Amino acid sequence: MKTFNHETINKLMADRKWNSSDLHRAIFLDYANISTQAINSWLSGKITPSAKYLAILSDVLGVSIDDFFTEQKRRNNERGISTGASERSRR
């Protein structure tokens, strides 16, 4: 399962020497009215941008939407529930 990785946005911004105001300006001027609070929530990982804003971010930052997501590893069994079995076997 893939999950949103907010660090990708932070890395892409750092590569461009942008801060959150620069990202806000790029989105606001060319695409949509968005609050700086929403952008800061994306950057901190508190919320995931909607599909609309993921598309805008991918365009502004020059990457595909898929680049904002990383594969989440499953733990110990197919349903992702940790049984603790591997932890017990190490003791």
Side-chain angles (χ1 to χ4, degrees):
M1 178 168 85
K2 289 191 173 193
T3 58
F4 179 71
N5 182 356
H6 69 280
E7 289 299 321
T8 303
I9 298 174
N10 291 316
K11 182 188 177 314
L12 292 166
M13 288 174 51
D15 291 348
R16 289 166 177 72
K17 297 185 171 119
W18 282 9
N19 60 32
S20 61
S21 295
D22 296 320
L23 182 61
H24 179 260
R25 192 170 18 267
I27 293 171
F28 185 79
L29 292 177
D30 294 332
Y31 296 95
N33 187 3
I34 183 77
S35 71
T36 54
Q37 181 181 5
I39 290 173
N40 289 333
S41 292
W42 301 340
L43 298 176
S44 67
K46 289 181 183 174
I47 62 170
T48 300
S50 68
K52 171 186 172 180
Y53 286 107
L54 283 170
I56 290 170
L57 282 169
S58 71
D59 194 41
V60 167
L61 296 172
V63 297
S64 77
I65 291 173
D66 197 48
D67 291 336
F68 295 118
F69 293 86
T70 55
E71 192 69 36
Q72 183 181 22
K73 295 187 171 117
R74 301 228 176 211
R75 298 182 339 181
N76 289 337
N77 65 29
E78 283 301 309
R79 287 185 283 194
I81 300 169
S82 177
T83 62
S86 62
E87 188 66 32
R88 286 190 295 272
S89 66
R90 288 188 226 167
R91 293 182 190 165

